Amino acid sequence: MENTPSLQDTDKTADWSRLLKSKYKKELGELSREYPHKRSLYIDYRDVIRAHGGTKLADELLENPGKVLEDVWDAIKNSQLVRTKDGKEPKGINIRFTNLPKKTGIRLIRSDDINTFVSVEGILRKTTEVRPRVVEAVFRCPAGHFTIKKQKYGKFIEPDGCATDGCTFKKLELVPKRSKFVDSQKLRIQESPEGLRGGEQPQTLDIDVTDDLSGRVSPGDRVIINGILRSMQRIVRGEKSTVFDIFLECNSIEIAEKEFEEVDIDEKAEDEIRALSKDPMIYRMITHSIAPTIYGSEDVKQAIALQLFGGIAKEMPDGTHLRGDIHVLLIGDPGIAKSQLLRYVVKLSPRAIYTSGQSSTAAGLTATAVKDEFGEGRWTLEAGALVLADMGVAAVDEMDKMEKGDRSALHEAMEQQSISVAKAGITATLKSRCALLGAANPKYGRFDMFGDISDQINMPPSLLSRFDLIFIMTDQPEQKRDLAIAEHILKAHSTGELIAQHKKTPIPGVTDEYIQQQLKPVMPDIDPSLFRKYVAYSKRSCYPILSPEAQEVLVAYYLKLRGIAEPNKPVPVTARQLEALVRLAEASARIRLSDTIEQSDAERVIHIVDACLRQIAYDAKTGTFDIDKVVTGISKEKRDIVRVIKDAIRDIGGEGRRAGIDQVIDAASSKGFAREKVKEGIDMLLRHGEAMEPKSGIIQLI
């Protein structure tokens, strides 16, 4: 009976040998040439199933992975499939399996899964640094004998005494020089947030990574990790517990989704993208592919499309970095579908994070230093939302509800595109090259069309000035538009109801074609998966240059706006707006996959920027643009009033710098300012602490 297993084993080894010879000749040849720099052989699980006797081999891999890895290694050794340059047999080759069909959810791992081969998917939360770990420790006793002890993950095991016969020495010394080490790293993976039900906290699993897999991934990557589930006894205050901890001994890592660089685009998709880019209606198609269930908001959707494609990040010879990412802020009345837009953009961008300002802290947005068992009690950095969205889009909803201190964390991330951390002895600069799409509500719930815009936006001017485009989305009743919105919403809902009912009990006469026809108004022109590939392809391969015509148009628009500003008039635009125009024009050319920025691109973005400026910086009283309303929060008119009030107090009060409030109002209003405005100016001085009211009706400058 004892011979049968060995016969079976030989059979299995022969099966593996056959599979490797038929399918993996090229990979084995590469291994022979590049060993020891390359020491992993990747075997596709799908190839195993298709092979002769494959289902048996595949099932055995899932149930008894340790034995299968030995079988494959035996097949390589016995058939001499890998020979190094000097003709010797390689010492250790890692056999790695990928593309397992069944993914196990982290929260669904049970005790039955221990010692089986599992595949889990999620986002990397933390990683430790790569460090050597001893796998074969060599000990020496005082008499000079050597004892070898194999080491496993976790606790270091020392031998009880010298292994040489007749030697009684118990105290042995580790000889690092003769011991065998392997690179190791610890990862922590967390469930993807998409699959969670309400109220569930994402669960985590620790991964043990060794040899050439260590140091490959970084926090924020979406990964699929295949490996053998192992258990380890929990020790509480020196006492062994009956509860065991689980960890995954990593066999292979597949990076599921990286930034646009790693989105796989096959030839078929590339041809589709090229064909789309030549379509004269491409801008309309792209605008209609962003949140098609939301009616209207064409300008906003076009701006978001430009944001997704982005401008070009430039590194100057003197080391200056000019950002290419476009930041957009949507401020609007409640119920105007801002959050819907944000959530849809997260679906379209190759890499994106959605977060709500209401529940985000500065540490959650940027980075925080934590001390826990994971890093063996050391301080480790945990990346926040803006770092995880590097090279993608960070959508921050409810920005006006954020704490003041937390909001200031966004300043550096938006302009310098990095996040500096100095906490707990760690000084680091993390990259956050992401475009920010923010949404906020007006301070008083709804917009007052006659009030000052800056008073109604509950955000500091320093933050507002960093946005390239600010859209005011008001909910104004207008019969024709309201009718169209109502029809659009009801159409979407009724089709949704039809689909839901048809799923439960098929309705006679309702076919898939009929449903498709009904869904047409709310279906995107470009399929979301192709849209993502389009964005990735464009960012990867398209770097347009400004044409002289486009340059002229942009400069003319900039000078026209600056020209409105006479010495005594407000400054309409700053250089920041010109940079925004260039970035937007680059994005516009990228949509067409064009290598030059044409005049039409410049005109398109001027139209969008002009619409924005008219909403936020247009001063109806003077008929001019006043960017100070947004950049400093105080309009030119207010500054003038304050100056006149201060002069009036000094004239009336002389050395004492105090005067009656009524006298000051009379003096200032004689210079042509409305009495109401002068009163507001006096209130502002008192509020800002530049003046005080020692007695009722008397004002004194401080």
Side-chain angles (χ1 to χ4, degrees):
M1 282 298 287
E2 281 178 13
N3 292 342
T4 31
S6 62
L7 275 171
Q8 277 184 347
D9 288 355
T10 327
D11 263 6
K12 298 263 170 65
T13 309
D15 285 344
W16 281 113
S17 178
R18 204 174 301 123
L19 169 69
L20 293 174
K21 280 176 181 168
S22 62
K23 288 269 168 72
Y24 291 91
K25 220 164 184 149
K26 187 177 160 214
E27 285 85 346
L28 290 162
E30 257 179 50
L31 261 178
S32 302
R33 280 196 310 278
E34 295 184 29
Y35 184 84
H37 298 296
K38 190 174 182 185
R39 24 179 211 283
S40 287
L41 173 68
Y42 285 89
I43 299 174
D44 195 321
Y45 185 83
R46 293 170 297 193
D47 289 341
V48 179
I49 292 178
R50 290 191 210 109
H52 171 69
T55 42
K56 267 189 186 172
L57 295 179
D59 289 347
E60 195 184 7
L61 168 66
L62 298 180
E63 283 154 27
N64 195 352
K67 182 179 168 301
V68 170
L69 292 172
E70 277 176 25
D71 286 349
V72 181
W73 173 235
D74 285 345
I76 291 175
K77 205 157 69 176
N78 297 348
S79 309
Q80 296 192 337
L81 297 174
V82 178
R83 308 293 291 166
T84 55
K85 285 175 190 163
D86 47 13
K88 285 182 189 164
E89 230 173 61
K91 284 276 192 311
I93 282 176
N94 302 307
I95 316 297
R96 307 203 184 281
F97 290 92
T98 57
N99 286 323
L100 268 78
K102 183 174 170 262
K103 307 277 181 286
T104 310
I106 293 176
R107 66 177 57 241
L108 300 175
I109 291 175
R110 298 291 176 261
S111 54
D112 297 347
D113 297 317
I114 291 172
N115 294 329
T116 63
F117 203 83
V118 293
S119 179
V120 293
E121 191 174 4
I123 301 175
L124 269 186
R125 284 295 318 154
K126 297 187 202 171
T127 59
T128 60
E129 55 265 65
V130 179
R131 287 287 176 264
R133 184 165 87 220
V134 68
V135 284
E136 211 173 79
V138 177
F139 295 88
R140 184 172 53 208
C141 75
H145 304 134
F146 289 103
T147 306
I148 295 173
K149 189 84 179 165
K150 287 236 180 344
Q151 300 290 334
K152 288 184 178 159
Y153 175 80
K155 227 172 154 201
F156 182 64
I157 310 162
E158 297 200 37
D160 301 331
C162 183
T164 314
D165 288 343
C167 183
T168 54
F169 281 113
K170 292 269 185 275
K171 200 162 187 249
L172 306 182
E173 183 192 356
L174 177 69
V175 187
K177 218 171 185 179
R178 290 199 172 202
S179 301
K180 199 171 157 197
F181 290 88
V182 68
D183 287 329
S184 78
Q185 187 185 25
K186 209 165 141 190
L187 315 175
R188 182 166 286 171
I189 188 175
Q190 175 186 301
E191 289 176 294
S192 300
E194 296 90 57
L196 296 181
R197 291 202 303 272
E200 285 183 336
Q201 258 198 323
Q203 293 192 8
T204 57
L205 178 67
D206 284 358
I207 318 283
D208 176 39
V209 180
T210 55
D211 203 20
D212 54 352
L213 285 183
S214 42
R216 282 261 190 101
V217 286
S218 49
D221 292 344
R222 284 182 181 249
V223 290
I224 296 166
I225 295 185
N226 311 306
I228 305 167
L229 194 71
R230 302 283 191 206
S231 60
M232 204 168 70
Q233 194 163 16
R234 199 181 276 183
I235 296 172
V236 185
R237 297 191 196 91
E239 295 286 317
K240 287 187 176 178
S241 165
T242 52
V243 179
F244 279 61
D245 282 322
I246 53 168
F247 68 93
L248 194 66
E249 193 180 282
C250 181
N251 178 267
S252 66
I253 299 178
E254 300 166 53
I255 295 174
E257 178 189 317
K258 282 280 260 190
E259 57 261 28
F260 60 87
E261 286 293 337
E262 277 80 12
V263 175
D264 279 332
I265 300 169
D266 50 21
E267 283 182 27
K268 182 173 169 261
E270 194 172 326
D271 293 341
E272 279 184 64
I273 289 166
R274 288 199 167 282
L276 270 176
S277 69
K278 293 188 172 60
D279 191 317
M281 299 296 282
I282 180 64
Y283 289 99
R284 190 158 179 271
M285 286 165 76
I286 278 185
T287 309
H288 283 216
S289 300
I290 294 174
T293 44
I294 299 166
Y295 181 82
S297 310
E298 297 293 316
D299 266 355
V300 176
K301 287 184 183 180
Q302 194 161 10
I304 288 172
L306 293 173
Q307 182 184 33
L308 283 170
F309 284 86
I312 301 163
K314 305 164 194 81
E315 291 291 340
M316 293 298 162
D318 65 348
T320 320
H321 171 79
L322 298 177
R323 72 176 160 96
D325 293 307
I326 296 160
H327 302 314
V328 179
L329 177 65
L330 313 176
I331 302 175
D333 296 335
I336 210 154
K338 298 186 297 294
S339 302
Q340 285 277 79
L341 270 171
L342 262 65
R343 286 200 178 274
Y344 202 87
V345 168
V346 171
K347 276 197 339 209
L348 288 180
S349 174
R351 193 174 199 173
I353 297 276
Y354 174 90
T355 174
S356 170
Q358 179 98 42
S359 51
S360 296
T361 60
L365 282 173
T366 54
T368 177
V370 288
K371 188 178 190 178
D372 58 9
E373 282 311 301
F374 182 69
E376 275 77 55
R378 287 195 305 276
W379 287 95
T380 50
L381 270 187
E382 209 170 273
L386 294 175
V387 181
L388 297 184
D390 184 35
M391 303 298 270
V393 175
V396 184
D397 205 353
E398 309 268 359
M399 278 184 81
D400 53 319
K401 311 278 190 308
M402 285 168 74
E403 296 288 322
K404 204 173 176 185
D406 299 339
R407 229 184 276 139
S408 60
L410 295 170
H411 286 195
E412 185 193 359
M414 287 175 74
E415 202 57 56
Q416 274 71 43
Q417 299 217 294
S418 63
I419 285 163
S420 307
V421 182
K423 288 179 184 173
I426 300 170
T427 44
T429 302
L430 304 171
K431 288 189 170 67
S432 67
R433 296 159 298 183
C434 61
L436 191 81
L437 175 60
N441 286 338
K443 201 187 272 186
Y444 309 114
R446 267 185 179 278
F447 266 113
D448 171 9
M449 291 318 289
F450 304 102
D452 245 359
I453 293 271
S454 55
D455 291 344
Q456 298 183 57
I457 303 172
N458 186 20
M459 285 168 85
S462 53
L463 190 62
L464 287 175
S465 70
R466 282 173 164 79
F467 283 100
D468 298 315
L469 294 172
I470 301 174
F471 283 97
I472 306 283
M473 299 167 78
T474 52
D475 192 2
Q476 296 286 317
E478 184 192 314
Q479 191 159 1
K480 197 174 161 194
R481 185 166 156 270
D482 290 349
L483 179 67
I485 290 176
E487 283 175 354
H488 186 82
I489 290 172
L490 292 177
K491 179 96 176 159
H493 276 274
S494 62
T495 313
E497 288 159 0
L498 183 80
I499 294 169
Q501 195 177 31
H502 184 60
K503 253 188 202 164
K504 197 165 189 308
T505 49
I507 305 166
V510 173
T511 59
D512 286 347
E513 285 79 40
Y514 175 75
I515 288 175
Q516 285 296 325
Q517 192 58 40
Q518 290 295 306
L519 278 175
K520 206 141 200 193
V522 291
M523 286 295 279
D525 291 355
I526 303 169
D527 183 65
S529 65
L530 181 64
F531 194 110
R532 290 170 65 139
K533 287 180 180 173
Y534 194 137
V535 172
Y537 182 79
S538 154
K539 281 186 146 188
R540 197 186 296 178
S541 58
C542 183
Y543 295 94
I545 296 169
L546 268 168
S547 67
E549 297 82 37
Q551 240 165 330
E552 272 176 38
V553 173
L554 292 178
V555 170
Y557 177 68
Y558 178 64
L559 290 178
K560 180 185 143 199
L561 282 181
R562 294 286 292 181
I564 297 172
E566 291 162 19
N568 205 25
K569 280 198 178 171
V571 176
V573 267
T574 59
R576 256 188 184 154
Q577 271 71 34
L578 181 60
E579 284 194 344
L581 280 167
V582 174
R583 278 193 285 271
L584 289 160
E586 286 166 357
S588 174
R590 269 185 162 176
I591 290 178
R592 291 199 320 276
L593 299 182
S594 162
D595 285 335
T596 51
I597 299 166
E598 308 288 341
Q599 190 173 336
S600 59
D601 295 314
E603 284 163 0
R604 182 175 296 106
V605 301
I606 283 172
H607 168 73
I608 295 175
V609 171
D610 205 56
C612 275
L613 281 175
R614 273 184 198 289
Q615 285 179 320
I616 58 164
Y618 189 67
D619 197 339
K621 292 187 198 73
T622 56
T624 56
F625 287 113
D626 182 2
I627 202 74
D628 286 354
K629 283 169 78 170
V630 179
V631 177
T632 63
I634 299 170
S635 65
K636 171 87 167 49
E637 187 191 15
K638 268 191 191 162
R639 278 206 304 271
D640 289 347
I641 287 176
V642 167
R643 198 182 66 243
V644 168
I645 291 168
K646 283 182 174 176
D647 289 347
I649 295 170
R650 286 194 193 100
D651 289 348
I652 298 164
E655 285 298 308
R657 289 155 66 104
R658 65 161 68 184
I661 290 177
D662 291 340
Q663 288 173 285
V664 175
I665 292 173
D666 290 340
S669 54
S670 66
K671 298 261 174 78
F673 293 108
R675 292 180 78 87
E676 284 302 311
K677 291 281 179 193
V678 179
K679 278 180 186 163
E680 276 177 28
I682 289 173
D683 286 345
M684 194 169 115
L685 278 175
L686 293 169
R687 212 170 43 243
H688 285 205
E690 290 184 51
M692 62 177 184
E693 204 172 349
K695 279 201 299 219
S696 178
I698 302 286
I699 186 169
Q700 179 178 353
L701 288 180
I702 291 171

